[in-house]
Amino acid sequence: VQLQASGGGLVQAGGSLRLSCAASGRTFSSYAMGWFRQAPGKEREFVAAISWSGGTTYYADSVKGRFTISRDNAKNTVYLQMNSLKPEDTAVYYCAASLGLPITIQRGNYDYWGQGTQVTVSS
């Protein structure tokens, strides 16, 4: 599986961005998908996850109520809608795919990773 993340950019605090992650292969619906982020000098952290069917989602407390993860299995794409962005959301955002688990928030359970897309939120 190859993952290609896009949609990052520079936005003012309070603004919105939508990240996309396009996956190759015909088994996309078999993968749980997640978004992680890594700020300079910090560990990569969990942001959001979605189950195979899209029926179950998990969020980090720091983004709950502001971010929404979704997927379109017909398009082999997972999305992260980010609203009410804050300067502390600034990071490189990575999408990831997990085979074998219905949904997971653990970084070590993800088998494939995209290249990352930069999100910068100015105050």
Side-chain angles (χ1 to χ4, degrees), residues 20 22 31 42 47 49 74 79 91 93 108:
S20 299
Y31 289 85
K42 294 188 175 182
V47 175
Y79 304 97
Y93 283 70

Side-chain angles (χ1 to χ4, degrees), residues 1 24 27-33 50-53 71 73 96-102 111-112:
V1 175
S24 64
T27 59
F28 178 72
S29 60
S30 300
Y31 289 85
M33 299 296 296
I50 189 166
S51 62
W52 303 329
S53 67
R71 67 191 295 163
N73 286 344
S98 175
L99 179 63
L101 291 173
D111 304 292
Y112 304 97

Side-chain angles (χ1 to χ4, degrees), residues 13-27:
S16 299
L17 283 174
R18 188 175 82 153
L19 305 183
S20 299
C21 176
S24 64
R26 294 178 289 178
T27 59

Side-chain angles (χ1 to χ4, degrees), residues 30-49:
S30 300
Y31 289 85
M33 299 296 296
W35 287 96
F36 290 74
R37 66 186 182 187
Q38 187 167 17
K42 294 188 175 182
E43 294 280 325
R44 191 172 299 188
E45 64 175 6
F46 168 75
V47 175

Side-chain angles (χ1 to χ4, degrees), residues 9-10 17 19 22 25 27 38 40 46 48-49 51 56 60 69 72 77 79 82 84 93 102 104 106 111 114 123:
L10 173 64
L17 283 174
L19 305 183
T27 59
Q38 187 167 17
F46 168 75
S51 62
T56 302
I69 188 171
D72 185 337
T77 302
Y79 304 97
M82 305 185 295
S84 302
Y93 283 70
T104 179
Q106 298 297 326
D111 304 292
S123 57

